[in-house]
Amino acid sequence: MSDKTKPETPELERRAFLSCLGGALACGAAAAATGVVATEATAAAPATAAGPQPPAIPGYDWTQHRWAFGVDATKCIGCLRCVEACKIENNVPEDAHHFRTWVERYVTLEGEETARIDSQADPVNIAASGSESAYRFADRYKDQKVAKAFFVPKLCNHCTHPACVQVCPTGATYKTEDGAVLIDHTYCIGCQYCVQACPYGARFFNEARNVTEKCTWCYHRITKGLLPACVEVCPVGARVFGDRNDKDSAISKFLRDNQVQVLKRETGNAPNVFYVGIDKDVI
Amino acid sequence: MPRHIVRLLVLMVAFVAVAYGAKRYFTVDSFYEYGHYRGGSVADIASDKPKYKGNANCQPCHAEVFAQWSAGIHNSVDVGKAVKCEVCHGPAGGRDSLGMFVNAATGPDHPNNLKLAIPTDSRQLCTLCHEKMTGRPAQQRQIVVADHAADQQCTLCHNAHSPRLGLVSAASAAPAPPRGDAEQGKAKAEVCAACHGPEGVSVDLPGPTLAGQRADYIVASIKAYAGGARDNPVMSPVAQTLESADADDLAAHFSGLKCESSLAAAPPKPAAICVTCHGANGQSTILAAPNLLGQSKDYLTATIAAYKDGTRKNDMMAGVVKNLSDADAETAAAYYVGASCKRD
């Protein structure tokens, strides 16, 4: 563009036109830069100096924390208290179709090679609990020969490279400094691209509010020094939560003492929920 | 420059200006503060009110039951297990009445305007964790509900806050000293000897052995006969003639008579269920259960049969004997017959 802005023969009309056009484009670009880039620049400028002020959360500085979650499937008893606590804590619709966290059961019968999977949302299990808003596993395999069986709690993985954030057209979902992936419900337009982008099925669409919802690691609790509700109520310590910046935290210890794995590593999302005691069938 | 080109340029500049202005006007200030999102939403989300408030919130007012819980198996911090208060009682912070999302600082809190549930159906609640279930790890205590409890509630035998304890805490299992006077009781006891034996030890007599029985249990039994809760053609009329003080004296007398267990063998399987409350040596471990030592086999089997057919009523015993076959009852009775009274 710059070479076109040097008019050597102004008497040539075409060249004059091109130079004018080039100048106009340069002006436009400059204007756009002040419009779009400048806002980023002004935001970025203090970042190099002192950094923007962290969000106004009383007594909490998000630059000081790096949250992570651990699940020990060898301890989970499938009591589903976490699912109920999550629903209450986060006002999740009380039915069998909307869950921010849920528990899956993997049962391999003798002679079979792949696991049978059911969750609390399975009709048989709903029948056992008697209601869609009460959660209980049915002992449906008691008359069969079971080779292997275990429970796996699932939730949003709060990935380091979240696909859901990448596809959001409005900036309604984002990753915070301290590691949580959150949804700004006032900016969510309900397009559900993120629901489809998530490889873990961790997001659901709330038809009543026309927005997408997901686990926040109980961001309103962890910023007050509390544990997420599901971790708070887990009676067997199958769920672990903590700050990786703190070497003595439960999650640091969990990651140090166990050989952990993440779900669907090959998608490149780099989850921050770490699992112990799951096998090949768990996806 | 040709006019139409100037117009075009003016139009373009105007478009850029309008677009820039609109963007500045419609985008909130905190957008791009930290990234491509509204920075203010972070604090918005963090301002929600937590509903689960944790055990520390319960302890100040419920210290006694909290102490019971913290000493019990439901608080096994060393193995990473703790069934906290809100797991069974629900959260101490209120769920918002408005429903979804609007959960900033609304909703009632316990103890203000929010009563927490005291679970009534312990069969439903306890079995969430303790029902035998495919997939549940072996270290979790599990029961086949029908075999373990029939249709009884768990709380009939278990203290919900500390399930390994009986309904009465271990501290109160030691019998209170008898209130009556043993000397007077001895004089009043002459009438009892016909059925219960001269020294309170019944051998081939219709009544049970009373020597060494818990005083509180003897008093309770006399009152049960007098009041009609228990019925026996011989005992009921006798009990009705006794004053409250008489019962205390008799209890003091009989409980003071020596009767020690000579039982050392391990209980056979059917008797294992009895041991929980009646002790391995026939000496009861909880307040509600009588000592069994010194009783005859006939008396024990007849008592089990009475609980089974409902002629003698006790919720806990009814549940226990429900799944006991006649043969099992015989075996259990035979075991406790071994705990005969050892006299000097």
Side-chain angles (χ1 to χ4, degrees):
Chain A
M1 194 190 286
S2 59
D3 52 347
K4 291 175 185 170
T5 56
K6 292 181 213 159
E8 286 171 3
T9 49
E11 66 278 9
L12 289 179
E13 207 172 313
R14 190 166 66 107
R15 185 158 290 181
F17 168 73
L18 283 175
S19 71
C20 279
L21 188 62
L25 282 176
C27 278
T34 46
V36 181
V37 187
T39 17
E40 280 179 287
T42 46
T48 51
Q53 283 298 307
I57 305 168
Y60 181 80
D61 180 358
W62 72 351
T63 60
Q64 302 301 309
H65 301 277
R66 187 161 59 110
W67 302 113
F69 200 101
V71 172
D72 190 342
T74 63
K75 288 184 178 169
C76 180
I77 59 171
C79 65
L80 298 169
R81 296 309 85 204
C82 48
V83 173
E84 186 173 295
C86 175
K87 286 234 177 188
I88 296 171
E89 181 71 41
N90 296 297
N91 288 324
V92 178
E94 277 187 344
D95 58 37
H97 311 290
H98 303 85
F99 294 97
R100 290 188 179 196
T101 186
W102 65 102
V103 180
E104 293 170 359
R105 171 167 58 180
Y106 291 76
V107 178
T108 312
L109 298 180
E110 279 183 17
E112 293 189 352
E113 291 197 349
T114 50
R116 299 173 177 220
I117 309 171
D118 65 338
S119 78
Q120 76 288 333
D122 187 287
V124 175
N125 295 329
I126 294 172
S129 74
S131 153
E132 282 199 8
S133 56
Y135 314 103
R136 168 188 281 272
F137 276 99
D139 197 8
R140 64 201 294 180
Y141 298 106
K142 63 181 169 192
D143 299 325
Q144 283 155 297
K145 288 189 171 164
V146 175
K148 182 178 190 179
F150 55 94
F151 292 101
V152 182
K154 293 257 187 100
L155 66 157
C156 170
N157 283 287
H158 295 268
C159 306
T160 306
H161 307 298
C164 53
V165 171
Q166 206 168 13
V167 300
C168 179
T170 63
T173 188
Y174 53 89
K175 183 144 180 90
T176 61
E177 284 285 307
D178 47 359
V181 175
L182 302 179
I183 300 177
D184 178 0
H185 283 143
T186 57
Y187 267 45
C188 178
I189 56 170
C191 70
Q192 301 181 57
Y193 280 141
C194 57
V195 176
Q196 295 188 38
C198 175
Y200 305 101
R203 289 171 169 249
F204 65 86
F205 187 63
N206 185 319
E207 294 83 0
R209 282 278 307 211
N210 237 20
V211 291
T212 297
E213 265 193 65
K214 66 181 273 296
C215 162
T216 62
W217 275 344
C218 283
Y219 200 71
H220 60 296
R221 295 177 62 88
I222 61 176
T223 49
K224 295 180 179 71
L226 301 168
L227 288 169
C230 58
V231 181
E232 171 73 23
V233 301
C234 180
V236 293
R239 288 169 178 259
V240 178
F241 184 81
D243 185 354
R244 294 185 72 177
N245 284 350
D246 175 5
K247 294 286 170 252
D248 298 325
S249 69
I251 190 68
S252 295
K253 192 171 178 307
F254 181 83
L255 294 172
R256 226 176 14 247
D257 295 348
N258 293 294
Q259 306 227 342
V260 296
Q261 63 190 100
V262 295
L263 300 178
K264 292 184 183 167
R265 188 168 175 271
E266 67 282 4
T267 61
N269 284 269
N272 285 304
V273 176
F274 301 95
Y275 284 84
V276 162
I278 59 176
D279 74 359
K280 63 173 174 49
D281 292 305
V282 179
I283 47 171
Chain B
M1 197 185 293
R3 274 181 67 196
H4 68 281
I5 298 299
V6 174
R7 278 194 203 135
L8 183 67
L9 289 176
V10 168
L11 210 61
M12 287 171 81
V13 169
F15 174 78
V16 167
V18 168
Y20 175 64
K23 184 180 176 301
R24 287 303 293 261
Y25 181 75
F26 287 114
T27 310
V28 292
D29 287 343
S30 69
F31 210 88
Y32 287 120
E33 191 177 359
Y34 310 112
H36 181 69
Y37 60 91
R38 185 171 64 92
S41 71
V42 179
D44 285 356
I45 292 169
S47 71
D48 282 353
K49 188 190 80 173
K51 304 195 179 46
Y52 283 81
K53 296 191 177 298
N55 282 355
N57 192 49
C58 315
Q59 193 176 5
C61 303
H62 304 280
E64 191 181 332
V65 77
F66 189 90
Q68 224 175 66
W69 168 84
S70 33
I73 185 95
H74 269 173
N75 180 33
S76 308
V77 179
D78 48 329
V79 290
K81 292 189 179 187
V83 188
K84 297 181 186 164
C85 310
E86 288 169 313
V87 176
C88 301
H89 293 285
R95 186 173 179 142
D96 307 306
S97 53
L98 292 174
M100 295 149 293
F101 292 97
V102 192
N103 53 353
T106 58
D109 281 341
H110 180 77
N112 304 321
N113 303 321
L114 177 69
K115 274 182 99 75
L116 291 197
I118 297 171
T120 48
D121 193 349
S122 60
R123 276 175 70 81
Q124 197 68 20
L125 181 74
C126 305
T127 54
L128 283 168
C129 296
H130 293 291
E131 181 184 7
K132 183 146 183 57
M133 178 76 64
T134 308
R136 214 155 256 176
Q139 73 265 20
Q140 175 70 4
R141 301 279 299 202
Q142 297 168 56
I143 56 159
V144 176
V145 182
D147 296 353
H148 181 91
D151 54 0
Q152 301 282 11
Q153 290 289 331
C154 311
T155 44
L156 195 61
C157 300
H158 297 279
N159 178 333
H161 294 111
S162 186
R164 291 262 172 96
L165 288 182
L167 274 177
V168 181
S169 70
S172 59
R179 277 172 300 177
D181 183 75
E183 284 304 311
Q184 291 198 24
K186 189 173 182 181
K188 291 173 185 171
E190 278 173 24
V191 64
C192 311
C195 294
H196 294 289
E199 287 290 302
V201 176
S202 159
V203 180
D204 297 332
L205 292 171
T209 293
L210 295 182
Q213 187 54 273
R214 304 171 70 117
D216 47 17
Y217 184 78
I218 295 176
V219 173
S221 299
I222 292 173
K223 282 181 179 163
Y225 281 120
R230 284 177 76 176
D231 189 35
N232 180 291
V234 181
M235 194 59 210
S236 296
V238 173
Q240 277 154 20
T241 65
L242 292 171
E243 303 277 331
S244 180
D246 296 337
D248 285 342
D249 291 344
L250 288 168
H253 167 63
F254 282 116
S255 64
L257 294 176
K258 199 170 169 62
C259 180
E260 278 178 9
S261 173
S262 53
L263 197 62
K269 193 156 185 282
I273 193 171
C274 316
V275 166
T276 314
C277 299
H278 294 289
N281 53 10
Q283 217 111 33
S284 94
T285 56
I286 68 167
L287 204 58
N291 296 338
L292 293 187
L293 71 168
Q295 308 306 350
S296 69
K297 189 175 173 182
D298 286 348
Y299 180 77
L300 289 172
T301 44
T303 306
I304 291 174
Y307 280 124
K308 227 170 169 173
D309 63 25
T311 46
R312 207 173 150 181
K313 290 182 178 58
N314 178 296
D315 286 343
M316 195 186 287
M317 279 305 290
V320 170
V321 300
K322 192 170 183 176
N323 295 313
L324 220 55
S325 70
D326 287 349
D328 285 348
E330 288 261 330
T331 318
Y335 168 73
Y336 277 112
V337 166
S340 58
C341 265
K342 197 167 81 177
R343 316 300 294 266
D344 290 330

